[in-house]
């Protein structure tokens, strides 16, 4: 009965709502401008996300509560009140986790949402290891297969650490600038000397959650619509469902294409070359050998596009590792949480905590670096 706790839905409704709001902002100029308008705009986006979370959570919680009502030994009086009480409890559990994630982000070290997701993934690892060990003792799987999987996952973690730390650095030069204002208690001008810097561009600017979450929607929503229109028992609809099942070649190919394309689409939103070019021009920054303005935007667009090719291939490979195992019949009984994406979330969370701990360790309580 652990699955029917008040935290049965976990924090996934909030994550789904955040992804939906982010997708809407891709096509809505108003939401996109809000996100880039500063702290006030981000608070409004957060409010919209909580509203969508409430809708998703209520719908899912009612489904859980209705299922509980069908168990006579658990609910002896299956009227409407237990359903409403269970729905309210599950909705409250989700918002407690949302509040906890915000508190971790605000007062702790690391991203609260990513940390809770990582914990949800890591709790499945001991269970999976114990299950694989039992299969190994019973002779149902060979030691060479288990060793192969262990080496693959070690290689995956090493790959994630390398790629997530990699940057394509674009050299930028800032011209000499004169600023007016109050300096050292006196009014006057301050001269900023010319300097050189770099504009870092991540190999994986799209992250993982949006491409990996939206790709199944692209695959299954059209089939679900056809099943609603023609009926799920229609032979060709049932055949489409089978071919799109986990471990099938069609699912592997179409899923790969969807993740690859979504990585490009989302990177174009996260990394805006025109916005970067305007920001450089406002600060008298130029890329050596490239004219300011539109030429700079075009140059950055080419650099981001070439970098995204590597990042999209990387995301696709991570997502399809367990599916390739299943396709070739060498899979092990992992939970659905243990995959390349789960490894990416956990490793990135650990790297983020490491970075923040290092920054805190370099700062005294008074805020002066040692």
């Amino acid at each position: 009965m652990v699955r029917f706790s008040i935290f049965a839905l976990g924090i996934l409704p909030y994550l789904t709502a955040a992804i939906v709001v982010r997708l809407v902002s891709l096509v809505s100029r108003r939401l996109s401008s809000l996100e880039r308008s500063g702290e006030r705009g981000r608070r409004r986006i957060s409010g919209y996300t909580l509203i969508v979370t409430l809708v998703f959570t209520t719908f899912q919680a009612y489904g859980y509560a209705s299922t509980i009502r069908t168990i006579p030994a658990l609910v002896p009086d299956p009227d409407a009140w237990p359903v409403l009480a269970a729905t309210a409890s599950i909705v409250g559990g989700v918002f407690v986790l949302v509040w906890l994630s915000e508190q971790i982000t605000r007062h702790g070290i690391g991203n609260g949402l990513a940390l809770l997701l990582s914990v949800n993934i890591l709790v499945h690892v001991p269970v999976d290891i114990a299950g694989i060990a039992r299969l190994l003792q019973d002779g149902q799987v060979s030691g060479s297969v288990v060793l192969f999987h262990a080496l693959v996952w070690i290689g995956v973690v090493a790959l994630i650490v390398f790629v997530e730390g990699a940057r394509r650095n674009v050299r930028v030069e800032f011209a000499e600038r004169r600023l007016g204002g109050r300096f050292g208690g006196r009014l006057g001008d301050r001269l900023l000397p010319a300097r050189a810097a770099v504009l870092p561009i991540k190999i994986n600017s799209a992250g993982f959650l949006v491409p990996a979450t939206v790709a199944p929607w692209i695959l299954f929503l059209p089939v679900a619509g056809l099943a609603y229109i023609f009926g799920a028992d229609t032979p060709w609809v049932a055949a489409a469902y089978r071919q799109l099942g986990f471990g099938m070649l069609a699912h592997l190919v179409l899923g790969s294409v969807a993740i690859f394309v979504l990585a490009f689409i989302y990177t174009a939103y996260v990394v805006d070359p025109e916005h970067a070019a305007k920001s450089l021009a406002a600060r008298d920054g130029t890329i050596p050998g490239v004219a300011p303005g539109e030429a700079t935007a075009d140059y950055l667009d080419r650099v981001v596009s070439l970098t995204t090719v590597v990042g999209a291939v990387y995301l696709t490979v991570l997502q399809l590792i367990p599916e390739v195992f299943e396709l070739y019949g060498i899979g092990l009984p992992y939970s659905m949480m243990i995959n390349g994406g789960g490894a990416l979330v956990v490793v990135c969370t650990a790297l983020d905590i490491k970075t923040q701990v290092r920054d805190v360790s370099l700062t005294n309580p008074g805020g002066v670096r040692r």
Side-chain angles (χ1 to χ4, degrees):
M1 301 311 299
V2 176
R3 294 182 182 273
F4 292 122
S5 68
I6 62 172
F7 299 120
L9 296 180
I11 202 168
L12 292 181
Y14 179 67
L15 175 63
T16 305
I19 291 174
V20 169
V21 172
R22 185 60 59 86
L23 291 176
V24 174
S25 66
L26 292 178
V27 297
S28 172
R29 183 173 298 179
R30 180 172 177 269
L31 280 181
S32 180
S33 61
L34 270 179
E35 192 166 6
R36 291 188 170 96
S37 63
E39 184 62 27
R40 183 178 179 182
R42 285 191 289 270
R43 286 181 180 177
R44 293 187 64 181
I45 292 290
S46 178
Y48 296 151
T49 304
L50 291 176
I51 293 174
V52 178
T53 302
L54 179 61
V55 174
F56 287 171
T57 305
T58 303
F59 179 78
Q60 292 178 270
Y62 181 79
Y64 268 79
S66 300
T67 302
I68 295 173
R69 188 172 60 173
T70 62
I71 305 175
L74 185 63
V75 184
D77 185 20
D79 56 11
W81 172 247
V83 174
L84 294 177
T87 301
S89 298
I90 296 175
V91 171
V94 171
F95 277 87
V96 166
L97 293 178
V98 172
W99 173 83
L100 180 60
S101 70
E102 292 179 350
Q103 295 305 308
I104 293 173
T105 302
R106 185 179 305 171
H107 301 291
I109 295 176
N111 182 285
L113 178 59
L115 188 59
L116 291 181
L117 288 173
S118 298
V119 171
N120 190 35
I121 293 168
L122 290 173
V123 296
H124 291 84
V125 174
V127 178
D128 288 344
I129 292 176
I132 293 171
R134 284 195 298 269
L135 293 177
L136 186 61
Q137 291 177 352
D138 296 339
Q140 299 183 36
V141 296
S142 65
S144 58
V145 172
V146 175
L147 178 61
F148 172 73
H149 277 253
L151 294 176
V152 167
W153 287 114
I154 292 174
V156 167
V157 172
L159 175 66
I160 292 173
V161 172
F162 174 76
V163 174
E164 293 301 320
R167 300 290 187 274
R168 169 68 166 88
N169 292 325
V170 178
R171 182 177 173 81
V172 178
E173 294 180 350
F174 292 93
E176 184 179 79
R177 298 178 62 191
R178 185 176 296 277
L179 300 178
R182 182 180 296 274
F183 304 101
R186 296 179 300 174
L187 292 174
D189 292 336
R190 179 183 179 187
L191 185 64
L192 295 180
R195 59 189 178 89
V198 293
L199 179 64
I201 299 174
K202 290 187 64 176
I203 300 298
N204 175 30
S205 298
F208 172 78
L209 294 176
V210 172
T213 303
V214 179
W217 298 352
I218 296 176
L219 294 182
F220 287 103
L221 283 180
V223 181
L226 293 174
Y228 178 79
I229 297 172
F230 297 101
D233 296 332
T234 305
W236 60 273
V237 175
Y241 266 116
R242 287 194 300 271
Q243 292 301 317
L244 289 177
F246 183 82
M248 302 299 292
L249 183 61
H251 184 274
L252 190 148
V253 174
L254 295 178
S256 300
V257 173
I259 292 175
F260 192 88
V261 173
L262 286 168
F264 269 91
I265 294 175
Y266 192 60
T267 298
Y269 170 78
V270 175
V271 184
D272 187 350
E274 292 185 3
H275 179 74
K278 291 178 181 178
S279 297
L280 287 176
R283 294 170 173 79
D284 294 329
T286 59
I287 298 175
V290 181
E294 186 176 349
T296 298
D298 292 339
Y299 176 82
L300 291 176
D301 184 60
R302 288 194 300 271
V303 173
V304 171
S305 298
L306 292 174
T307 306
T308 305
V309 172
V310 180
V313 172
Y314 159 75
L315 287 179
T316 304
V317 170
L318 289 182
Q319 175 66 11
L320 298 180
I321 289 174
E323 194 161 7
V324 171
F325 290 159
E326 190 71 21
L327 182 65
Y328 286 96
I330 56 173
L332 291 176
Y334 298 130
S335 67
M336 293 300 293
M337 303 295 295
I338 308 300
N339 51 41
L344 179 60
V345 171
V346 172
V347 173
C348 287
T349 302
L351 292 175
D352 184 44
I353 293 176
K354 173 187 173 183
T355 300
Q356 295 197 36
V357 168
R358 183 181 58 191
D359 291 343
V360 170
S361 67
L362 293 175
T363 306
N364 284 327
V368 180
R369 285 190 176 275
R370 293 173 180 172

